[in-house]
Amino acid sequence: MSEIEKKEKTEAAMLKEKLAAKKPSGALSLDKETISLADEFCEGYKTFMKTSKVEREAVRTTEKMALERGFVKYEQGRQYQPGDKVYVVNRGKNIGLAVIGKNGTKNGVRLVIAHIDSPRLDLKPNPLYEASDLALFKTHYYGGIKKYQWTAIPLALHGRIVRLDGECVDVCLGEEPDEPCFVVSDLLPHLDREQASKPMGKAIEGENLNVLIGSRPFNSDKESEQVKLNILNILFEKYGIIESDFLSAELDLVPAFQPRDIGFDRSLVGAYGHDDKVCAYPGVIAALEAEAPESTCITFLCDKEEIGSEGNTGMQSSFLNSFIEDLAEADGMAFRHVMAKSTCLSADVNAAYDPTFASAFEERNSSYLNGGVIITKYTGAGGKYDTSDASAEYMGKIRRMLEDNGILWQTGELGKVDGGGGGTIAKFVANHNVDVVDLGVPVLSMHAPFEVVSKVDVYMAYRAFAAFFKS
Ligand code: MN
Ligand code: MN
């Protein structure tokens, strides 16, 4: 600043410049090169999304990427050297990628943890029935959905069936344009007077999320439920399964949409399941690219976050801890001492400010599309219930890391204080005496069948995870 410019500024303007927080400049502050790097990064993200709609598929896609980059399956008890790249898989639904650091686990590990399950419609154990000459599946929704959003959209069937003979059959049907898909019907507006008078949460009830799967009878024999029989026959011919095999199956109906650019300027990506694959993918790439870091770095993709991180593939399970314990033992360290020195980024999304629903947000403490990666100090609900509120010290550390690396970032809360709430895996990691904070990508229409993110924010999440692994 020249002397003349300085004189032209008022005393108040100069003091303001010195003391007041600067309004984040968002994508305005980015040069063309960074924006094109973000666009390029999201091409890879869209490819990942096409083959990763449910957790088993996300694990398979990630394992393939890891093998291509020289990762090998971890062997418990083996001594690893700095720079070695290993991975672990839990029940086909979790994958952990670890790059052994120069100091191994002695100064703790760096953890990036994202979840790869997303809200969807699961099949009930006895799903198949016939009504009025139509064949349908009964479903049980998984995670937080607005039920009306799941009617009248194309759905694809993903998952696994285990037959009585022990054979596993993987299913993925409805994604290709020439494959059949499925749909939940809705009432026509001409006849919806009763439905339209109900509150939105009651207009479509869980028990009405029945999926249309066929309508033709098997033949003209005088047998009952011929349409259902025809579907059973098709399923037997295609997958070798009988009706009771649904009892030992995990079959999910997910939106049959493909990831697509949004907007004339192609600045955004629309897809099913951004929450939380939009943090999983950047975390995976950061791990794949990590070269001989100081401390061992781990990207871990977990399951069951959307239903409370329960079960043996959720973050309340001991799987990841056991893996860290194995790494610690190989270094002659106790698990508890490693965890006490470890740091974690709970890589999860937050709600992006939506001008159409402005009243749900508090604009001074919201995250914005194109504002960069978002740090969420605490999640939870009401009076900060059910959250691990990150410490000032750890916030300071992460903030410094982002600034030092020129990463576009912002902070935010999940909507208005009394508006509702939500949680992430952060608190389960914090329980093990680890410093943890949520850091991820802002999402518009979160948990809808088609969610929206900004390409710049996805890229900044990757930059943040890469910088964290170098810290
Ligand atoms: Mn999430
Ligand atoms: Mn979620």
Side-chain angles (χ1 to χ4, degrees):
M1 199 186 292
S2 73
E3 278 307 306
I4 299 161
E5 278 173 328
K6 242 183 212 169
K7 269 181 203 142
E8 278 169 355
K9 283 202 170 175
T10 63
E11 201 182 338
M14 285 193 287
L15 194 63
K16 207 173 185 180
E17 195 173 292
K18 185 177 165 192
L19 300 182
K22 313 247 176 327
K23 204 171 172 273
S25 48
L28 275 177
S29 65
L30 298 176
D31 52 40
K32 279 209 165 70
E33 199 196 324
T34 308
I35 290 171
S36 74
L37 284 171
D39 290 349
E40 201 182 310
F41 187 81
C42 285
E43 290 306 306
Y45 174 51
K46 285 185 283 179
T47 305
F48 176 86
M49 289 297 269
K50 281 182 190 159
T51 55
S52 307
K53 282 202 174 170
V54 296
E55 55 275 3
R56 285 181 198 275
E57 294 168 357
V59 166
R60 278 198 291 266
T61 306
T62 304
E63 183 178 17
K64 197 164 160 259
M65 289 163 70
L67 288 168
E68 282 165 10
R69 295 294 290 251
F71 279 69
V72 294
K73 220 170 205 163
Y74 174 75
E75 288 170 49
Q76 196 264 321
R78 229 189 107 172
Q79 207 63 41
Y80 288 95
Q81 301 305 315
D84 281 353
K85 299 174 175 201
V86 296
Y87 74 93
V88 285
V89 172
N90 178 22
R91 296 173 164 84
K93 296 180 189 176
N94 300 154
I95 185 164
L97 308 177
V99 181
I100 308 298
K102 290 174 195 148
N103 301 311
T105 59
K106 290 195 174 72
N107 298 326
V109 293
R110 305 285 165 265
L111 292 165
V112 168
I113 307 177
H115 68 91
I116 44 176
D117 61 317
S118 302
R120 62 191 187 223
L121 306 180
D122 286 350
L123 292 199
K124 289 192 183 192
N126 276 311
L128 181 57
Y129 71 104
E130 177 175 331
S132 308
D133 298 329
L134 297 174
L136 299 119
F137 274 152
K138 290 299 294 179
T139 68
H140 194 139
Y141 60 94
Y142 172 96
I145 61 165
K146 294 171 83 164
K147 289 158 206 153
Y148 73 88
Q149 293 179 334
W150 293 72
T151 64
I153 59 166
L155 298 169
L157 187 67
H158 291 242
R160 171 169 280 193
I161 307 160
V162 180
R163 296 196 314 228
L164 199 56
D165 63 7
E167 195 70 34
C168 294
V169 184
D170 285 320
V171 175
C172 180
L173 186 66
E175 295 292 350
E176 299 302 325
D178 61 341
E179 286 176 354
C181 64
F182 311 95
V183 70
V184 174
S185 62
D186 197 358
L187 194 56
L188 60 167
H190 316 65
L191 297 178
D192 80 342
R193 246 174 247 171
E194 193 198 334
Q195 185 193 35
S197 68
K198 292 180 183 173
M200 196 168 72
K202 295 261 185 216
I204 299 286
E205 303 213 34
E207 217 55 78
N208 290 343
L209 292 171
N210 302 319
V211 182
L212 186 59
I213 57 163
S215 67
R216 276 190 191 153
F218 176 67
N219 66 13
S220 55
D221 289 349
K222 291 273 167 285
E223 200 60 46
S224 67
E225 302 201 314
Q226 280 265 18
V227 180
K228 176 180 166 180
L229 184 66
N230 193 41
I231 296 296
L232 279 173
N233 188 46
I234 292 168
L235 290 174
F236 183 72
E237 283 178 352
K238 192 169 170 62
Y239 300 113
I241 61 161
I242 58 173
E243 190 174 6
S244 59
D245 288 330
F246 282 116
L247 294 172
S248 48
E250 287 172 315
L251 290 167
D252 317 323
L253 284 145
V254 298
F257 307 139
Q258 295 301 314
R260 299 183 67 167
D261 287 349
I262 302 251
F264 289 113
D265 58 5
R266 294 178 171 262
S267 58
L268 309 162
V269 180
Y272 161 71
H274 280 316
D275 178 8
D276 184 32
K277 266 87 84 177
V278 76
C279 298
Y281 178 77
V284 165
I285 299 298
L288 295 185
E289 292 178 352
E291 293 293 342
E294 292 298 319
S295 294
T296 295
C297 296
I298 302 172
T299 289
F300 189 72
L301 306 185
C302 67
D303 176 32
K304 297 284 183 281
E305 192 279 338
E306 295 295 357
I307 58 165
S309 298
E310 311 284 348
N312 54 16
T313 56
M315 272 313 288
Q316 297 196 64
S317 114
S318 58
F319 180 78
L320 175 61
N321 296 334
S322 301
F323 174 50
I324 297 172
E325 193 165 355
D326 285 343
L327 294 174
E329 273 174 12
D331 292 338
M333 294 281 292
F335 172 68
R336 63 184 188 280
H337 296 143
V338 169
M339 291 309 254
K341 290 179 179 173
S342 292
T343 48
C344 174
L345 295 177
S346 163
D348 209 342
V349 301
N350 199 337
Y353 181 86
D354 188 336
T356 304
F357 301 101
S359 66
F361 297 88
E362 192 265 277
E363 59 184 32
R364 287 175 189 81
N365 286 283
S366 291
S367 65
Y368 294 81
L369 289 179
N370 287 316
V373 70
I374 171 176
I375 315 179
T376 306
K377 187 173 182 291
Y378 48 84
T379 56
K384 292 196 178 181
Y385 295 108
D386 289 317
T387 183
S388 65
D389 196 344
S391 70
E393 289 84 352
Y394 192 52
M395 284 294 287
K397 195 171 174 174
I398 297 302
R399 183 180 153 202
R400 210 151 45 239
M401 175 197 87
L402 296 168
E403 286 293 329
D404 288 351
N405 288 279
I407 294 163
L408 188 68
W409 66 280
Q410 56 186 329
T411 61
E413 280 199 50
L414 181 61
K416 277 190 174 164
V417 171
D418 288 331
T424 64
I425 58 95
K427 61 178 180 175
F428 304 115
V429 181
N431 287 346
H432 293 283
N433 195 20
V434 175
D435 270 320
V436 53
V437 70
D438 283 294
L439 186 142
V441 176
V443 176
L444 207 60
S445 311
M446 195 197 291
H447 283 207
F450 197 63
E451 304 172 311
V452 178
V453 295
S454 135
K455 290 183 179 176
V456 162
D457 300 338
V458 181
Y459 177 62
M460 289 299 160
Y462 152 71
R463 292 264 312 270
F465 301 144
F468 178 69
F469 282 159
K470 288 192 184 109
S471 69

